[in-house]
Amino acid sequence: MRIARLTAAGLAGGALLALAAPLAASAHVTVTPSGTAAGSYTVLTFAYSHGCEGSPTTALAIDIPESIESVSPTLHPNYTIEKVAEGDRTARVVYTAITPVEDGYRDAIELSVRLPEDAAGETLAFPVLQTCVEGETNWNELAEEGAAEPESPAPAILVTEGTGDEHGQAAATDDTGSAEHAADGGHGQTTDAAAASSSDDVIARVLGIGGLIVGVVGIVLALNARRPRSGA
């Protein structure tokens, strides 16, 4: 009976670990830049794969930092786009879904922006208000140094030093957000958000594998428990 209980607990624990790991890794709206050099143009890809507690997503409203003056949203076949002005700059870009995006399906939108020339070393946050058929989630919380990640973190990038070739890069980037040099625009640099996303993926894989191992051990114990003992 004791072995049977241990087996059941092992199988249940393994299943929970395997299921919880990918859910934890995909619980945010993330941003990935094509480059991070100060003064350069970059394409920001905002991605998500969840709704508001299971409710389909109907809109994403992205707040643009005051230091960014040039914003060009990329067209998306399932969204209408609105640029909300504040004086002479675009302060917010709103993507409204033509067909609500069901929970559990990944989608992504892109913005082409020019990073400030004097922002090297700064973290730029892009708060996102995710509106759903029922409810909404405001991804606007900023992480504090040394503190745990907030419940609803704002997508953010870390701006790196300029390379002196930003004007050439700008010429190669058009207003639709495409860039021939996107692959090396950041010159190998990564952002805090990208690093965190990568770390989440690694943790998810480790937890998933751990769950599978626990499950296999439980099955082996169950088989041994059922095997008749010699001399019985």
Side-chain angles (χ1 to χ4, degrees):
M1 291 295 293
R2 183 171 179 272
I3 293 178
R5 292 194 196 98
L6 290 173
T7 300
L11 290 173
L16 288 174
L17 282 171
L19 290 174
L23 290 176
S26 62
H28 304 328
V29 174
T30 62
V31 60
T32 304
S34 62
T36 58
S40 69
Y41 280 84
T42 183
V43 177
L44 304 177
T45 301
F46 294 84
Y48 67 99
S49 59
H50 53 83
C52 307
E53 297 184 355
S55 181
T57 298
T58 58
L60 295 174
I62 305 170
D63 288 338
I64 309 300
E66 292 184 8
S67 57
I68 292 181
E69 298 180 353
S70 175
V71 182
S72 298
T74 302
L75 296 175
H76 190 297
N78 189 45
Y79 291 89
T80 60
I81 304 172
E82 179 187 5
K83 297 171 68 174
V84 180
E86 187 178 272
D88 296 331
R89 60 178 291 272
T90 298
R92 171 177 279 201
V93 177
V94 182
Y95 277 78
T96 302
I98 298 172
T99 301
V101 180
E102 294 291 337
D103 180 68
Y105 287 88
R106 183 182 183 278
D107 202 355
I109 58 176
E110 296 180 341
L111 303 178
S112 174
V113 304
R114 187 172 187 270
L115 300 177
E117 294 185 358
D118 58 353
E122 293 183 17
T123 297
L124 298 180
F126 297 81
V128 176
L129 177 61
Q130 180 181 16
T131 304
C132 300
V133 173
E134 295 182 5
E136 63 183 26
T137 302
N138 199 357
W139 302 94
N140 65 344
E141 297 178 4
L142 302 180
E144 297 183 5
E145 186 175 355
E149 183 182 55
E151 183 177 351
S152 302
I157 66 171
L158 176 64
V159 182
T160 56
E161 290 288 345
T163 62
D165 189 35
E166 282 70 42
H167 294 292
Q169 291 183 12
T173 306
D174 60 28
D175 289 339
T176 65
S178 61
E180 295 178 357
H181 62 281
D184 63 353
H187 296 272
Q189 299 291 337
T190 59
T191 66
D192 289 342
S197 179
S198 176
S199 176
D200 285 344
D201 289 341
V202 172
I203 293 173
R205 291 175 184 175
V206 171
L207 290 175
I209 293 173
L212 292 175
I213 292 175
V214 172
V216 170
V217 171
I219 293 174
V220 172
L221 289 174
L223 292 175
N224 287 336
R226 292 183 179 182
R227 185 177 299 169
R229 299 180 180 178
S230 59

